[in-house]
């Protein structure tokens, strides 16, 4: 096993009414001025904002609003938030939303305690923040698992780059599945597919011999697939929503990555696709995965075949390991179609080959756990995904 250090800085409050339990337990530990950060307004329509405002007021907090955090959050928005934190002497940030709001706040938190620009610090000096304004995360859209890790994905518009920035861990996370009831079904499913992608990109890393992380991962993948199907039969199935909210956190809280080097090539491509087109994260991943995995599977046949067997239950009769591996990719593609997500980029309105070339030329190339790609092959994959 690869060596590791494991600790858990984020306390999770899960279930209906979790916000009340969390804020009543946690707010006494933080200062008076709280920044309430959210997106384009869904939290005002579904009552979550009012509920949290009441809890903050009861606790005697002074509230500073930070609104308008967009999907695919921008670096400019991060800087706006950090400026507001400094101007208003904010003691605590409560991020309320999906991955975009939580990611933006993780970086706002770190930037607000730094003199230097966080992008320059991380990308030019290779240093990472060690301080930040304390924060908590209230999840209203699950899938990214952003609430339990310090990593954020931010779009730097001037640089045409969407990439990782390390920010701050939330000290606590509220996961109340009832908060997801107002989320459009397409976004619920896109988020759940993002979870599945995180699992697969971790599973397909190395090492690939039997190991505890991969066996837990198989269970998380099976649960994600089963509960997406359950939810598509009954949108109000709270058990399925609960399971999906927890598999989302499990996929990105580090447990599945213990002892592994992850792959995440699909994510690197999708992030640059979003930099150029502002596309939806889960849907972009869905469109990229089948072709990318057909290019990868022959070189990682053993692990792809295990995925096919353990997660997709493919019929192995008379098949070689590579054929089993590819049958698993067929099953993945059929599942994406079944759940109504795109399996081609054209379904998302992305057809411009100039854009696809730019994505291929600028995306990160990972160490290549199954296969190390060259840029021309990424371009071919994107064209085949059209
Ligand atoms: O802005 P509002 O009005 O709140 O609307 C949002 C947004 O339009 C809406 N929404 C959220 N909760 C809702 C709701 N609408 C109704 N009812 C609710 N309860 O949903 C829309 C999408 O929200 P967003 O936060 O953008 O979605 P998601 O959670 O999928 O986050 C995507 C972002 O997370 C990054 C992605 O790259 C993308 O930028 N990721 C972060 C990761 C991490 N930090 O670990 C890992 C992921 O791989 C991913 O890259
Ligand atoms: Zn993702």
């Amino acid at each position: 096993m690869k060596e590791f250090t494991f600790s858990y800085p984020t306390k999770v409050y899960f279930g209906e009414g979790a916000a009340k339990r969390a804020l009543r337990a946690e707010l006494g530990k933080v200062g008076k001025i709280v920044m309430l950060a959210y997106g384009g307004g869904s939290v005002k329509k579904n009552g979550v904002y009012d509920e949290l405002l009441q809890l903050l007021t009861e606790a005697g907090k002074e509230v500073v609003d930070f609104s308008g955090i967009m999907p695919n959050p921008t670096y400019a928005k991060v800087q706006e938030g950090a400026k507001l934190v400094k101007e208003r002497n904010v003691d605590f940030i409560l991020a309320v939303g999906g991955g975009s709001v939580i990611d933006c706040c993780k970086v706002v938190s770190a930037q607000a305690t730094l003199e230097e620009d966080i992008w320059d610090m991380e990308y030019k000096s290779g240093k990472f923040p060690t301080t930040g304004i304390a924060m908590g995360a209230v999840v209203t859209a699950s899938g990214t698992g952003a609430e339990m890790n310090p990593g954020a994905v931010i779009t730097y518009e001037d640089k045409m780059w969407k990439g990782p920035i390390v920010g701050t861990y939330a000290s606590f996370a509220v996961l109340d599945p009832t908060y997801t009831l107002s989320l459009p079904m397409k976004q619920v499913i896109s988020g759940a597919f993002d979870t599945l992608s995180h699992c697969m990109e971790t599973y397909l890393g190395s090492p690939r011999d039997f190991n505890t992380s991969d066996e837990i991962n198989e269970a998380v993948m099976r649960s994600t697939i089963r509960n997406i199907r359950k939810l598509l039969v009954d949108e109000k199935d709270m058990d399925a929503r609960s399971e999906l909210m927890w598999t989302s956190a499990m996929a990105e809280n580090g447990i599945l990555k213990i002892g592994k080097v992850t792959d995440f090539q699909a994510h690197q491509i999708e992030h640059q696709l979003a930099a150029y087109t502002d596309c939806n994260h889960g849907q972009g991943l869905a469109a990229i995965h089948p072709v990318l995995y057909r290019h990868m599977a022959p070189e990682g046949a053993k692990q792809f075949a295990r995925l096919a067997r353990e997660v997709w239950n493919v019929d192995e009769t008379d098949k070689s390991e590579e054929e089993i591996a590819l049958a698993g990719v067929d099953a993945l593609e059929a599942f994406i179609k079944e759940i109504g997500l795109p399996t081609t980029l054209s379904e998302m309105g992305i057809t411009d080959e100039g854009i696809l070339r730019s994505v291929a030329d600028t995306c990160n190339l990972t160490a290549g756990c199954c296969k190390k790609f060259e840029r021309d092959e990424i371009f071919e994959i994107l064209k085949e995904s059209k």
Side-chain angles (χ1 to χ4, degrees):
M1 268 178 100
K2 189 165 90 56
E3 66 183 32
F4 65 88
T5 305
F6 185 69
S7 77
Y8 240 106
T10 307
K11 186 168 180 175
V12 174
Y13 291 84
F14 190 94
E16 188 167 1
K20 195 178 279 179
R21 285 192 283 127
L23 295 197
R24 288 191 174 154
E26 300 291 335
L27 286 179
K29 303 173 193 168
V30 305
K32 189 174 169 63
I33 305 176
V34 175
M35 177 193 261
L36 188 50
Y38 53 98
S42 69
V43 292
K44 290 211 164 161
K45 291 192 200 118
N46 62 16
V48 172
Y49 180 90
D50 287 344
E51 186 187 337
L52 297 174
L53 190 62
Q54 193 184 337
L55 288 162
L56 289 166
T57 311
E58 262 176 29
K61 303 298 179 191
E62 187 182 314
V63 174
V64 175
D65 249 41
F66 177 44
S67 64
I69 300 172
M70 62 293 279
N72 297 322
T74 62
Y75 198 59
K77 197 68 188 173
V78 164
Q79 295 303 339
E80 181 191 327
K83 186 162 170 269
L84 189 60
V85 168
K86 286 181 181 171
E87 279 170 4
R88 301 290 299 272
N89 293 314
V90 166
D91 297 302
F92 183 76
I93 301 169
L94 191 61
V96 190
S100 296
V101 171
I102 297 169
D103 276 5
C104 182
C105 288
K106 289 192 281 196
V107 188
V108 165
S109 154
Q111 177 69 84
T113 59
L114 293 170
E115 289 303 322
E116 61 194 308
D117 181 282
I118 191 167
W119 189 282
D120 287 346
M121 179 180 138
E122 296 195 10
Y123 279 82
K124 291 187 184 158
S125 313
K127 289 188 287 171
F128 296 95
T130 50
T131 58
I133 304 290
M135 69 171 277
V138 178
V139 180
T140 64
S142 64
T144 66
E147 64 276 13
M148 287 184 78
N149 65 55
V153 191
I154 302 294
T155 301
Y156 204 139
E157 289 169 302
D158 298 348
K159 298 182 192 295
M160 291 304 282
W161 170 253
K162 182 176 177 190
I165 306 191
V166 177
T168 308
Y169 272 101
S171 58
F172 68 88
V174 172
L175 278 75
D176 181 340
T178 66
Y179 284 4
T180 68
L181 281 165
S182 54
L183 191 62
M185 227 10 218
K186 181 113 185 190
Q187 180 59 38
V188 176
I189 302 303
S190 302
F193 186 80
D194 187 21
T195 298
L196 185 62
S197 170
H198 297 155
C199 291
M200 293 189 295
E201 301 232 65
T202 301
Y203 189 83
L204 295 169
S206 60
R208 299 194 202 105
D209 301 326
F210 280 102
N211 62 79
T212 309
S213 299
D214 284 355
E215 290 183 83
I216 301 171
N217 193 336
E218 286 164 3
V220 176
M221 285 191 270
R222 284 193 290 261
S223 173
T224 303
I225 293 163
R226 185 175 60 250
N227 286 295
I228 289 176
R229 286 186 167 133
K230 277 179 76 186
L231 206 55
L232 284 169
V233 173
D234 175 9
E235 292 185 15
K236 297 274 181 329
D237 184 333
M238 290 316 299
D239 191 47
R241 280 180 187 267
S242 303
E243 295 286 347
L244 289 175
M245 203 165 211
W246 185 234
T247 61
S248 161
M250 277 294 290
E252 276 298 307
N253 64 11
I255 289 179
L256 306 185
K257 298 181 184 177
I258 287 176
K260 300 249 342 172
V261 178
T262 61
D263 186 78
F264 276 80
Q265 186 61 65
H267 268 70
Q268 302 309 318
I269 300 172
E270 192 286 330
H271 287 158
Q272 275 313 85
L273 199 62
Y276 281 88
T277 67
D278 200 26
C279 66
N280 175 278
H281 180 59
Q283 290 165 36
L285 289 169
I288 291 166
H289 267 291
V291 177
L292 176 72
Y293 278 7
R294 281 195 187 99
H295 279 248
M296 251 189 211
E299 298 201 21
K302 193 173 156 205
Q303 186 76 341
F304 269 91
R306 207 168 111 203
L307 180 67
R309 250 181 236 118
E310 300 296 333
V311 176
W312 298 111
N313 299 317
V314 303
D315 178 3
E316 298 179 46
T317 322
D318 297 331
K319 288 192 182 78
S320 67
E321 192 151 70
E322 186 173 324
E323 285 167 342
I324 298 169
L326 289 168
V329 182
D330 290 346
L332 168 66
E333 184 172 31
F335 178 70
I336 296 171
K337 285 193 177 130
E338 173 193 336
I339 64 177
L341 293 184
T343 51
T344 60
L345 294 171
S346 354
E347 289 168 73
M348 302 169 69
I350 304 171
T351 52
D352 182 336
E353 288 199 6
I355 287 181
L356 301 185
R357 183 74 244 185
S358 301
V359 170
D361 287 344
T362 56
C363 71
N364 278 334
L365 300 176
T366 63
C369 290
C370 284
K371 179 171 184 173
K372 173 96 178 117
F373 285 99
E374 302 294 333
R375 298 204 178 277
D376 283 348
E377 190 169 358
I378 301 273
F379 182 45
E380 288 309 313
I381 289 167
L382 285 164
K383 281 195 293 181
E384 285 171 41
S385 302
K386 257 196 338 177

